[in-house]
Amino acid sequence: MGLSSRSAVAIHALTMLARWGDRCLTSAEIADSLASNPVLVRRILGSLRNADLVWSTEGRGGGWSLARAPREITLYDAYAAVEEGRILSGHPHPPSDACEVGRNISALLEVEFRDAERALEQRLGRTTIADLLRKVLTSSANSR
């Protein structure tokens, strides 16, 4: 599948929901912060809801809220909820067996790519939405 911006949108939305945790936010409010389209935001929020990271209420005063405490949601949780497939993929078709590089590269890349994805999972798993919100609030206070 390759790289996408879905993770960044999901993490942004989760951080906003954590910031305004005392009230529900609409997809339009989140989209305004993203300078994006509410339809895109609703799709991302739907994936986050399917992963039990957010919940929604309909009607007047409705919107989106976190389903768990911000300290219980990692960046990897958000990533896993919205991304499909592997980030790094091998050749689209088998390389030539007649070439020494072609014969060996796929197996070697598989190990390297799997290790890289494991490192990504571990790194994103160390940071929570609460951690990110703390950094946002600190940065905001320092820029005043």
Side-chain angles (χ1 to χ4, degrees):
M1 183 78 194
L3 301 173
S4 78
S5 62
R6 289 185 298 269
S7 293
V9 171
I11 292 166
H12 185 128
L14 290 168
T15 305
M16 277 199 68
L17 292 171
R19 171 64 180 93
W20 303 107
D22 57 335
R23 69 179 184 94
C24 291
L25 295 180
T26 66
S27 54
E29 289 172 314
I30 297 169
D32 282 346
S33 178
L34 284 156
S36 185
N37 185 314
V39 172
L40 166 74
V41 172
R42 278 192 293 276
R43 279 192 211 123
I44 297 293
L45 289 168
S47 294
L48 294 173
R49 180 181 49 216
N50 292 342
D52 296 323
L53 299 176
V54 300
W55 58 275
S56 63
T57 55
E58 294 184 19
R60 187 174 179 88
W64 298 88
S65 299
L66 293 179
R68 293 191 256 168
R71 70 180 179 284
E72 297 173 359
I73 303 171
T74 68
L75 301 189
Y76 185 75
D77 293 331
Y79 166 83
V82 299
E83 298 295 346
E84 298 173 7
R86 297 181 62 179
I87 296 172
L88 302 168
S89 59
H91 293 290
H93 51 81
S96 171
D97 279 339
C99 170
E100 66 183 335
V101 173
R103 274 191 308 276
N104 295 290
I105 197 71
S106 292
L108 297 171
L109 285 178
E110 177 63 27
V111 171
E112 294 298 322
F113 289 175
R114 187 176 47 242
D115 288 350
E117 289 180 354
R118 193 173 298 123
L120 172 76
E121 179 179 345
Q122 291 170 352
R123 177 61 188 95
L124 293 179
R126 286 195 308 256
T127 304
T128 67
I129 294 299
D131 297 330
L132 206 58
L133 177 58
R134 229 178 343 271
K135 291 176 184 179
V136 165
L137 296 175
T138 298
S139 292
S140 182
N142 290 339
S143 66
R144 290 183 193 168

mmCIF file of all heavy atoms in Angstrom, residues 33-83:
data_model
loop_
_atom_site.group_PDB
_atom_site.id
_atom_site.type_symbol
_atom_site.label_atom_id
_atom_site.label_comp_id
_atom_site.label_asym_id
_atom_site.label_seq_id
_atom_site.Cartn_x
_atom_site.Cartn_y
_atom_site.Cartn_z
ATOM 1 N N SER A 33 -9.389 22.248 11.915
ATOM 2 C CA SER A 33 -8.031 22.220 12.447
ATOM 3 C C SER A 33 -7.054 21.601 11.451
ATOM 4 O O SER A 33 -5.901 21.994 11.377
ATOM 5 C CB SER A 33 -8.002 21.443 13.764
ATOM 6 O OG SER A 33 -6.682 21.362 14.261
ATOM 7 N N LEU A 34 -7.546 20.629 10.704
ATOM 8 C CA LEU A 34 -6.714 19.956 9.706
ATOM 9 C C LEU A 34 -6.641 20.721 8.389
ATOM 10 O O LEU A 34 -5.872 20.344 7.508
ATOM 11 C CB LEU A 34 -7.286 18.562 9.406
ATOM 12 C CG LEU A 34 -7.034 17.495 10.451
ATOM 13 C CD1 LEU A 34 -8.078 16.398 10.375
ATOM 14 C CD2 LEU A 34 -5.650 16.919 10.244
ATOM 15 N N ALA A 35 -7.461 21.767 8.255
ATOM 16 C CA ALA A 35 -7.625 22.442 6.961
ATOM 17 C C ALA A 35 -7.948 21.391 5.904
ATOM 18 O O ALA A 35 -7.315 21.312 4.856
ATOM 19 C CB ALA A 35 -6.391 23.266 6.599
ATOM 20 N N SER A 36 -8.945 20.577 6.229
ATOM 21 C CA SER A 36 -9.295 19.444 5.388
ATOM 22 C C SER A 36 -10.803 19.372 5.214
ATOM 23 O O SER A 36 -11.546 20.239 5.668
ATOM 24 C CB SER A 36 -8.764 18.162 6.032
ATOM 25 O OG SER A 36 -8.981 17.045 5.212
ATOM 26 N N ASN A 37 -11.234 18.298 4.600
ATOM 27 C CA ASN A 37 -12.636 18.068 4.302
ATOM 28 C C ASN A 37 -13.273 17.199 5.390
ATOM 29 O O ASN A 37 -12.714 16.163 5.742
ATOM 30 C CB ASN A 37 -12.708 17.369 2.940
ATOM 31 C CG ASN A 37 -14.107 17.173 2.451
ATOM 32 O OD1 ASN A 37 -14.985 16.738 3.185
ATOM 33 N ND2 ASN A 37 -14.312 17.489 1.187
ATOM 34 N N PRO A 38 -14.454 17.573 5.903
ATOM 35 C CA PRO A 38 -15.114 16.763 6.934
ATOM 36 C C PRO A 38 -15.400 15.320 6.498
ATOM 37 O O PRO A 38 -15.410 14.415 7.327
ATOM 38 C CB PRO A 38 -16.418 17.514 7.214
ATOM 39 C CG PRO A 38 -16.149 18.919 6.803
ATOM 40 C CD PRO A 38 -15.180 18.820 5.659
ATOM 41 N N VAL A 39 -15.603 15.106 5.210
ATOM 42 C CA VAL A 39 -15.870 13.744 4.717
ATOM 43 C C VAL A 39 -14.634 12.861 4.943
ATOM 44 O O VAL A 39 -14.751 11.728 5.421
ATOM 45 C CB VAL A 39 -16.287 13.751 3.228
ATOM 46 C CG1 VAL A 39 -16.377 12.346 2.681
ATOM 47 C CG2 VAL A 39 -17.599 14.493 3.057
ATOM 48 N N LEU A 40 -13.457 13.389 4.632
ATOM 49 C CA LEU A 40 -12.213 12.646 4.884
ATOM 50 C C LEU A 40 -12.074 12.360 6.378
ATOM 51 O O LEU A 40 -11.737 11.246 6.773
ATOM 52 C CB LEU A 40 -11.001 13.438 4.391
ATOM 53 C CG LEU A 40 -9.649 12.930 4.894
ATOM 54 C CD1 LEU A 40 -9.265 11.645 4.184
ATOM 55 C CD2 LEU A 40 -8.580 13.979 4.720
ATOM 56 N N VAL A 41 -12.342 13.350 7.199
ATOM 57 C CA VAL A 41 -12.222 13.193 8.646
ATOM 58 C C VAL A 41 -13.200 12.121 9.143
ATOM 59 O O VAL A 41 -12.842 11.281 9.963
ATOM 60 C CB VAL A 41 -12.440 14.545 9.362
ATOM 61 C CG1 VAL A 41 -12.510 14.373 10.866
ATOM 62 C CG2 VAL A 41 -11.315 15.513 8.989
ATOM 63 N N ARG A 42 -14.431 12.142 8.635
ATOM 64 C CA ARG A 42 -15.411 11.129 9.056
ATOM 65 C C ARG A 42 -14.952 9.723 8.686
ATOM 66 O O ARG A 42 -15.154 8.784 9.457
ATOM 67 C CB ARG A 42 -16.785 11.421 8.458
ATOM 68 C CG ARG A 42 -17.556 12.456 9.246
ATOM 69 C CD ARG A 42 -19.007 12.536 8.825
ATOM 70 N NE ARG A 42 -19.198 13.034 7.485
ATOM 71 C CZ ARG A 42 -19.236 14.322 7.153
ATOM 72 N NH1 ARG A 42 -19.084 15.248 8.081
ATOM 73 N NH2 ARG A 42 -19.436 14.685 5.910
ATOM 74 N N ARG A 43 -14.325 9.559 7.542
ATOM 75 C CA ARG A 43 -13.801 8.236 7.157
ATOM 76 C C ARG A 43 -12.738 7.763 8.140
ATOM 77 O O ARG A 43 -12.738 6.615 8.579
ATOM 78 C CB ARG A 43 -13.208 8.277 5.746
ATOM 79 C CG ARG A 43 -14.221 8.174 4.676
ATOM 80 C CD ARG A 43 -13.549 7.936 3.329
ATOM 81 N NE ARG A 43 -14.370 8.549 2.317
ATOM 82 C CZ ARG A 43 -13.992 9.464 1.451
ATOM 83 N NH1 ARG A 43 -12.744 9.880 1.422
ATOM 84 N NH2 ARG A 43 -14.831 9.970 0.594
ATOM 85 N N ILE A 44 -11.829 8.658 8.473
ATOM 86 C CA ILE A 44 -10.762 8.320 9.425
ATOM 87 C C ILE A 44 -11.371 8.022 10.796
ATOM 88 O O ILE A 44 -11.015 7.035 11.445
ATOM 89 C CB ILE A 44 -9.726 9.466 9.524
ATOM 90 C CG1 ILE A 44 -9.015 9.685 8.186
ATOM 91 C CG2 ILE A 44 -8.736 9.219 10.661
ATOM 92 C CD1 ILE A 44 -8.120 8.593 7.731
ATOM 93 N N LEU A 45 -12.285 8.859 11.237
ATOM 94 C CA LEU A 45 -12.934 8.642 12.533
ATOM 95 C C LEU A 45 -13.706 7.326 12.552
ATOM 96 O O LEU A 45 -13.762 6.645 13.573
ATOM 97 C CB LEU A 45 -13.857 9.815 12.879
ATOM 98 C CG LEU A 45 -13.143 11.121 13.235
ATOM 99 C CD1 LEU A 45 -14.139 12.289 13.261
ATOM 100 C CD2 LEU A 45 -12.411 11.015 14.560
ATOM 101 N N GLY A 46 -14.289 6.953 11.422
ATOM 102 C CA GLY A 46 -14.976 5.666 11.326
ATOM 103 C C GLY A 46 -14.021 4.509 11.561
ATOM 104 O O GLY A 46 -14.356 3.546 12.267
ATOM 105 N N SER A 47 -12.828 4.593 10.988
ATOM 106 C CA SER A 47 -11.816 3.552 11.221
ATOM 107 C C SER A 47 -11.376 3.538 12.677
ATOM 108 O O SER A 47 -11.171 2.474 13.265
ATOM 109 C CB SER A 47 -10.602 3.771 10.313
ATOM 110 O OG SER A 47 -10.955 3.598 8.962
ATOM 111 N N LEU A 48 -11.244 4.715 13.274
ATOM 112 C CA LEU A 48 -10.866 4.798 14.691
ATOM 113 C C LEU A 48 -11.979 4.230 15.576
ATOM 114 O O LEU A 48 -11.706 3.587 16.585
ATOM 115 C CB LEU A 48 -10.550 6.243 15.077
ATOM 116 C CG LEU A 48 -9.323 6.863 14.413
ATOM 117 C CD1 LEU A 48 -9.225 8.352 14.743
ATOM 118 C CD2 LEU A 48 -8.050 6.133 14.806
ATOM 119 N N ARG A 49 -13.223 4.453 15.169
ATOM 120 C CA ARG A 49 -14.353 3.885 15.924
ATOM 121 C C ARG A 49 -14.337 2.360 15.819
ATOM 122 O O ARG A 49 -14.544 1.664 16.813
ATOM 123 C CB ARG A 49 -15.681 4.438 15.418
ATOM 124 C CG ARG A 49 -16.888 3.867 16.167
ATOM 125 C CD ARG A 49 -18.216 4.392 15.662
ATOM 126 N NE ARG A 49 -18.284 4.297 14.224
ATOM 127 C CZ ARG A 49 -18.895 5.194 13.453
ATOM 128 N NH1 ARG A 49 -19.501 6.232 13.975
ATOM 129 N NH2 ARG A 49 -18.907 5.043 12.154
ATOM 130 N N ASN A 50 -14.068 1.838 14.635
ATOM 131 C CA ASN A 50 -14.000 0.387 14.448
ATOM 132 C C ASN A 50 -12.911 -0.241 15.310
ATOM 133 O O ASN A 50 -13.008 -1.409 15.687
ATOM 134 C CB ASN A 50 -13.773 0.038 12.982
ATOM 135 C CG ASN A 50 -14.963 0.384 12.119
ATOM 136 O OD1 ASN A 50 -16.077 0.581 12.609
ATOM 137 N ND2 ASN A 50 -14.744 0.482 10.822
ATOM 138 N N ALA A 51 -11.886 0.529 15.624
ATOM 139 C CA ALA A 51 -10.786 0.053 16.471
ATOM 140 C C ALA A 51 -11.030 0.367 17.953
ATOM 141 O O ALA A 51 -10.135 0.192 18.778
ATOM 142 C CB ALA A 51 -9.468 0.682 16.013
ATOM 143 N N ASP A 52 -12.220 0.858 18.271
ATOM 144 C CA ASP A 52 -12.598 1.189 19.652
ATOM 145 C C ASP A 52 -11.721 2.273 20.272
ATOM 146 O O ASP A 52 -11.459 2.267 21.484
ATOM 147 C CB ASP A 52 -12.596 -0.060 20.546
ATOM 148 C CG ASP A 52 -13.633 -1.083 20.109
ATOM 149 O OD1 ASP A 52 -14.723 -0.664 19.688
ATOM 150 O OD2 ASP A 52 -13.340 -2.286 20.177
ATOM 151 N N LEU A 53 -11.299 3.221 19.452
ATOM 152 C CA LEU A 53 -10.508 4.342 19.966
ATOM 153 C C LEU A 53 -11.367 5.576 20.182
ATOM 154 O O LEU A 53 -11.030 6.435 21.007
ATOM 155 C CB LEU A 53 -9.357 4.666 19.010
ATOM 156 C CG LEU A 53 -8.345 3.540 18.792
ATOM 157 C CD1 LEU A 53 -7.300 3.949 17.755
ATOM 158 C CD2 LEU A 53 -7.684 3.152 20.099
ATOM 159 N N VAL A 54 -12.457 5.699 19.421
ATOM 160 C CA VAL A 54 -13.391 6.817 19.563
ATOM 161 C C VAL A 54 -14.808 6.277 19.515
ATOM 162 O O VAL A 54 -15.044 5.145 19.099
ATOM 163 C CB VAL A 54 -13.210 7.896 18.451
ATOM 164 C CG1 VAL A 54 -11.818 8.492 18.469
ATOM 165 C CG2 VAL A 54 -13.550 7.342 17.080
ATOM 166 N N TRP A 55 -15.741 7.116 19.927
ATOM 167 C CA TRP A 55 -17.144 6.798 19.768
ATOM 168 C C TRP A 55 -17.863 8.061 19.340
ATOM 169 O O TRP A 55 -17.346 9.162 19.492
ATOM 170 C CB TRP A 55 -17.748 6.170 21.014
ATOM 171 C CG TRP A 55 -17.658 6.966 22.283
ATOM 172 C CD1 TRP A 55 -16.607 6.997 23.150
ATOM 173 C CD2 TRP A 55 -18.641 7.843 22.820
ATOM 174 N NE1 TRP A 55 -16.886 7.833 24.201
ATOM 175 C CE2 TRP A 55 -18.138 8.365 24.023
ATOM 176 C CE3 TRP A 55 -19.908 8.227 22.406
ATOM 177 C CZ2 TRP A 55 -18.842 9.270 24.801
ATOM 178 C CZ3 TRP A 55 -20.621 9.121 23.190
ATOM 179 C CH2 TRP A 55 -20.080 9.633 24.374
ATOM 180 N N SER A 56 -19.032 7.870 18.785
ATOM 181 C CA SER A 56 -19.791 9.014 18.286
ATOM 182 C C SER A 56 -21.208 8.994 18.841
ATOM 183 O O SER A 56 -21.743 7.939 19.167
ATOM 184 C CB SER A 56 -19.828 9.008 16.758
ATOM 185 O OG SER A 56 -20.497 7.859 16.282
ATOM 186 N N THR A 57 -21.766 10.199 18.941
ATOM 187 C CA THR A 57 -23.167 10.348 19.309
ATOM 188 C C THR A 57 -23.828 11.226 18.263
ATOM 189 O O THR A 57 -23.198 12.139 17.724
ATOM 190 C CB THR A 57 -23.328 10.994 20.704
ATOM 191 O OG1 THR A 57 -22.629 12.236 20.722
ATOM 192 C CG2 THR A 57 -22.793 10.097 21.796
ATOM 193 N N GLU A 58 -25.070 10.914 17.976
ATOM 194 C CA GLU A 58 -25.804 11.674 16.966
ATOM 195 C C GLU A 58 -26.679 12.718 17.627
ATOM 196 O O GLU A 58 -26.914 12.689 18.826
ATOM 197 C CB GLU A 58 -26.644 10.712 16.129
ATOM 198 C CG GLU A 58 -25.803 9.769 15.301
ATOM 199 C CD GLU A 58 -26.641 8.890 14.398
ATOM 200 O OE1 GLU A 58 -27.814 9.228 14.131
ATOM 201 O OE2 GLU A 58 -26.112 7.866 13.964
ATOM 202 N N GLY A 59 -27.149 13.625 16.814
ATOM 203 C CA GLY A 59 -28.098 14.626 17.287
ATOM 204 C C GLY A 59 -27.443 15.876 17.820
ATOM 205 O O GLY A 59 -26.231 16.048 17.772
ATOM 206 N N ARG A 60 -28.303 16.729 18.360
ATOM 207 C CA ARG A 60 -27.845 18.019 18.889
ATOM 208 C C ARG A 60 -26.822 17.788 20.002
ATOM 209 O O ARG A 60 -27.032 17.009 20.922
ATOM 210 C CB ARG A 60 -29.039 18.785 19.415
ATOM 211 C CG ARG A 60 -28.714 20.185 19.833
ATOM 212 C CD ARG A 60 -30.027 20.901 20.196
ATOM 213 N NE ARG A 60 -29.774 22.238 20.627
ATOM 214 C CZ ARG A 60 -29.694 23.291 19.811
ATOM 215 N NH1 ARG A 60 -29.836 23.118 18.511
ATOM 216 N NH2 ARG A 60 -29.470 24.488 20.283
ATOM 217 N N GLY A 61 -25.697 18.453 19.907
ATOM 218 C CA GLY A 61 -24.642 18.288 20.897
ATOM 219 C C GLY A 61 -23.816 17.026 20.683
ATOM 220 O O GLY A 61 -22.946 16.719 21.481
ATOM 221 N N GLY A 62 -24.115 16.316 19.608
ATOM 222 C CA GLY A 62 -23.385 15.081 19.321
ATOM 223 C C GLY A 62 -22.040 15.360 18.683
ATOM 224 O O GLY A 62 -21.652 16.505 18.466
ATOM 225 N N GLY A 63 -21.353 14.310 18.404
ATOM 226 C CA GLY A 63 -20.037 14.417 17.785
ATOM 227 C C GLY A 63 -19.181 13.236 18.186
ATOM 228 O O GLY A 63 -19.693 12.156 18.485
ATOM 229 N N TRP A 64 -17.894 13.473 18.232
ATOM 230 C CA TRP A 64 -16.910 12.419 18.476
ATOM 231 C C TRP A 64 -16.197 12.647 19.792
ATOM 232 O O TRP A 64 -15.902 13.782 20.151
ATOM 233 C CB TRP A 64 -15.901 12.402 17.336
ATOM 234 C CG TRP A 64 -16.528 12.088 16.021
ATOM 235 C CD1 TRP A 64 -17.080 12.987 15.139
ATOM 236 C CD2 TRP A 64 -16.679 10.803 15.439
ATOM 237 N NE1 TRP A 64 -17.561 12.322 14.055
ATOM 238 C CE2 TRP A 64 -17.329 10.976 14.202
ATOM 239 C CE3 TRP A 64 -16.335 9.516 15.835
ATOM 240 C CZ2 TRP A 64 -17.643 9.926 13.361
ATOM 241 C CZ3 TRP A 64 -16.640 8.455 14.991
ATOM 242 C CH2 TRP A 64 -17.286 8.656 13.775
ATOM 243 N N SER A 65 -15.896 11.559 20.490
ATOM 244 C CA SER A 65 -15.156 11.598 21.749
ATOM 245 C C SER A 65 -14.211 10.401 21.806
ATOM 246 O O SER A 65 -14.424 9.409 21.099
ATOM 247 C CB SER A 65 -16.099 11.499 22.952
ATOM 248 O OG SER A 65 -16.990 12.568 22.979
ATOM 249 N N LEU A 66 -13.220 10.502 22.659
ATOM 250 C CA LEU A 66 -12.323 9.368 22.865
ATOM 251 C C LEU A 66 -13.062 8.252 23.600
ATOM 252 O O LEU A 66 -13.833 8.516 24.516
ATOM 253 C CB LEU A 66 -11.098 9.779 23.677
ATOM 254 C CG LEU A 66 -10.127 10.743 23.012
ATOM 255 C CD1 LEU A 66 -8.972 11.056 23.967
ATOM 256 C CD2 LEU A 66 -9.597 10.190 21.704
ATOM 257 N N ALA A 67 -12.801 7.027 23.198
ATOM 258 C CA ALA A 67 -13.400 5.868 23.859
ATOM 259 C C ALA A 67 -12.531 5.364 25.005
ATOM 260 O O ALA A 67 -12.972 4.551 25.811
ATOM 261 C CB ALA A 67 -13.633 4.739 22.844
ATOM 262 N N ARG A 68 -11.296 5.834 25.048
ATOM 263 C CA ARG A 68 -10.355 5.462 26.112
ATOM 264 C C ARG A 68 -9.621 6.710 26.564
ATOM 265 O O ARG A 68 -9.602 7.712 25.857
ATOM 266 C CB ARG A 68 -9.314 4.461 25.591
ATOM 267 C CG ARG A 68 -9.880 3.114 25.220
ATOM 268 C CD ARG A 68 -8.751 2.148 24.999
ATOM 269 N NE ARG A 68 -8.559 1.921 23.574
ATOM 270 C CZ ARG A 68 -7.512 1.319 23.054
ATOM 271 N NH1 ARG A 68 -6.535 0.900 23.804
ATOM 272 N NH2 ARG A 68 -7.426 1.143 21.757
ATOM 273 N N ALA A 69 -8.988 6.608 27.692
ATOM 274 C CA ALA A 69 -8.177 7.730 28.181
ATOM 275 C C ALA A 69 -7.012 7.967 27.219
ATOM 276 O O ALA A 69 -6.460 7.012 26.658
ATOM 277 C CB ALA A 69 -7.650 7.416 29.576
ATOM 278 N N PRO A 70 -6.616 9.218 27.020
ATOM 279 C CA PRO A 70 -5.504 9.526 26.111
ATOM 280 C C PRO A 70 -4.212 8.782 26.453
ATOM 281 O O PRO A 70 -3.446 8.434 25.564
ATOM 282 C CB PRO A 70 -5.313 11.036 26.265
ATOM 283 C CG PRO A 70 -6.626 11.542 26.749
ATOM 284 C CD PRO A 70 -7.216 10.431 27.572
ATOM 285 N N ARG A 71 -3.987 8.500 27.724
ATOM 286 C CA ARG A 71 -2.772 7.776 28.138
ATOM 287 C C ARG A 71 -2.826 6.305 27.740
ATOM 288 O O ARG A 71 -1.825 5.608 27.817
ATOM 289 C CB ARG A 71 -2.530 7.937 29.631
ATOM 290 C CG ARG A 71 -3.515 7.214 30.500
ATOM 291 C CD ARG A 71 -3.256 7.402 31.993
ATOM 292 N NE ARG A 71 -4.233 6.700 32.786
ATOM 293 C CZ ARG A 71 -5.482 7.103 32.993
ATOM 294 N NH1 ARG A 71 -5.902 8.239 32.471
ATOM 295 N NH2 ARG A 71 -6.314 6.380 33.719
ATOM 296 N N GLU A 72 -4.007 5.834 27.333
ATOM 297 C CA GLU A 72 -4.185 4.436 26.943
ATOM 298 C C GLU A 72 -4.190 4.233 25.431
ATOM 299 O O GLU A 72 -4.369 3.116 24.961
ATOM 300 C CB GLU A 72 -5.487 3.891 27.531
ATOM 301 C CG GLU A 72 -5.507 3.868 29.046
ATOM 302 C CD GLU A 72 -6.866 3.474 29.599
ATOM 303 O OE1 GLU A 72 -7.803 3.237 28.814
ATOM 304 O OE2 GLU A 72 -6.980 3.418 30.832
ATOM 305 N N ILE A 73 -4.002 5.305 24.677
ATOM 306 C CA ILE A 73 -3.993 5.225 23.212
ATOM 307 C C ILE A 73 -2.606 5.603 22.714
ATOM 308 O O ILE A 73 -2.145 6.725 22.940
ATOM 309 C CB ILE A 73 -5.038 6.168 22.588
ATOM 310 C CG1 ILE A 73 -6.443 5.855 23.113
ATOM 311 C CG2 ILE A 73 -4.992 6.069 21.062
ATOM 312 C CD1 ILE A 73 -7.498 6.873 22.707
ATOM 313 N N THR A 74 -1.941 4.666 22.047
ATOM 314 C CA THR A 74 -0.611 4.960 21.494
ATOM 315 C C THR A 74 -0.733 5.426 20.055
ATOM 316 O O THR A 74 -1.755 5.209 19.389
ATOM 317 C CB THR A 74 0.305 3.725 21.545
ATOM 318 O OG1 THR A 74 -0.196 2.741 20.630
ATOM 319 C CG2 THR A 74 0.421 3.149 22.953
ATOM 320 N N LEU A 75 0.335 6.028 19.587
ATOM 321 C CA LEU A 75 0.373 6.417 18.182
ATOM 322 C C LEU A 75 0.286 5.182 17.294
ATOM 323 O O LEU A 75 -0.299 5.234 16.206
ATOM 324 C CB LEU A 75 1.643 7.216 17.876
ATOM 325 C CG LEU A 75 1.851 8.502 18.678
ATOM 326 C CD1 LEU A 75 3.024 9.288 18.107
ATOM 327 C CD2 LEU A 75 0.601 9.348 18.757
ATOM 328 N N TYR A 76 0.820 4.068 17.769
ATOM 329 C CA TYR A 76 0.711 2.841 16.983
ATOM 330 C C TYR A 76 -0.743 2.366 16.912
ATOM 331 O O TYR A 76 -1.166 1.863 15.872
ATOM 332 C CB TYR A 76 1.602 1.717 17.517
ATOM 333 C CG TYR A 76 1.536 0.518 16.605
ATOM 334 C CD1 TYR A 76 2.198 0.533 15.380
ATOM 335 C CD2 TYR A 76 0.759 -0.586 16.929
ATOM 336 C CE1 TYR A 76 2.099 -0.540 14.504
ATOM 337 C CE2 TYR A 76 0.662 -1.655 16.060
ATOM 338 C CZ TYR A 76 1.334 -1.627 14.848
ATOM 339 O OH TYR A 76 1.223 -2.685 13.977
ATOM 340 N N ASP A 77 -1.514 2.544 17.966
ATOM 341 C CA ASP A 77 -2.931 2.192 17.915
ATOM 342 C C ASP A 77 -3.621 2.949 16.779
ATOM 343 O O ASP A 77 -4.412 2.375 16.023
ATOM 344 C CB ASP A 77 -3.640 2.531 19.232
ATOM 345 C CG ASP A 77 -3.183 1.693 20.406
ATOM 346 O OD1 ASP A 77 -2.763 0.532 20.213
ATOM 347 O OD2 ASP A 77 -3.238 2.213 21.544
ATOM 348 N N ALA A 78 -3.332 4.241 16.684
ATOM 349 C CA ALA A 78 -3.924 5.066 15.624
ATOM 350 C C ALA A 78 -3.449 4.591 14.255
ATOM 351 O O ALA A 78 -4.250 4.436 13.328
ATOM 352 C CB ALA A 78 -3.560 6.533 15.833
ATOM 353 N N TYR A 79 -2.161 4.366 14.132
ATOM 354 C CA TYR A 79 -1.589 3.883 12.872
ATOM 355 C C TYR A 79 -2.261 2.581 12.439
ATOM 356 O O TYR A 79 -2.727 2.441 11.307
ATOM 357 C CB TYR A 79 -0.084 3.684 13.041
ATOM 358 C CG TYR A 79 0.550 2.891 11.934
ATOM 359 C CD1 TYR A 79 0.912 3.504 10.743
ATOM 360 C CD2 TYR A 79 0.762 1.523 12.066
ATOM 361 C CE1 TYR A 79 1.472 2.767 9.712
ATOM 362 C CE2 TYR A 79 1.318 0.788 11.045
ATOM 363 C CZ TYR A 79 1.673 1.413 9.865
ATOM 364 O OH TYR A 79 2.210 0.680 8.839
ATOM 365 N N ALA A 80 -2.340 1.621 13.349
ATOM 366 C CA ALA A 80 -2.899 0.310 13.019
ATOM 367 C C ALA A 80 -4.378 0.400 12.654
ATOM 368 O O ALA A 80 -4.873 -0.391 11.847
ATOM 369 C CB ALA A 80 -2.694 -0.652 14.182
ATOM 370 N N ALA A 81 -5.080 1.377 13.224
ATOM 371 C CA ALA A 81 -6.514 1.522 12.948
ATOM 372 C C ALA A 81 -6.795 2.022 11.541
ATOM 373 O O ALA A 81 -7.836 1.702 10.968
ATOM 374 C CB ALA A 81 -7.137 2.470 13.964
ATOM 375 N N VAL A 82 -5.879 2.793 10.979
ATOM 376 C CA VAL A 82 -6.192 3.453 9.701
ATOM 377 C C VAL A 82 -5.346 3.007 8.513
ATOM 378 O O VAL A 82 -5.695 3.286 7.367
ATOM 379 C CB VAL A 82 -6.125 4.992 9.821
ATOM 380 C CG1 VAL A 82 -7.131 5.493 10.845
ATOM 381 C CG2 VAL A 82 -4.724 5.463 10.164
ATOM 382 N N GLU A 83 -4.233 2.356 8.750
ATOM 383 C CA GLU A 83 -3.370 1.944 7.647
ATOM 384 C C GLU A 83 -3.644 0.497 7.264
ATOM 385 O O GLU A 83 -3.954 -0.329 8.120
ATOM 386 C CB GLU A 83 -1.895 2.116 8.021
ATOM 387 C CG GLU A 83 -1.492 3.541 8.314
ATOM 388 C CD GLU A 83 -1.580 4.492 7.125
ATOM 389 O OE1 GLU A 83 -1.715 4.041 5.968
ATOM 390 O OE2 GLU A 83 -1.523 5.700 7.361
#
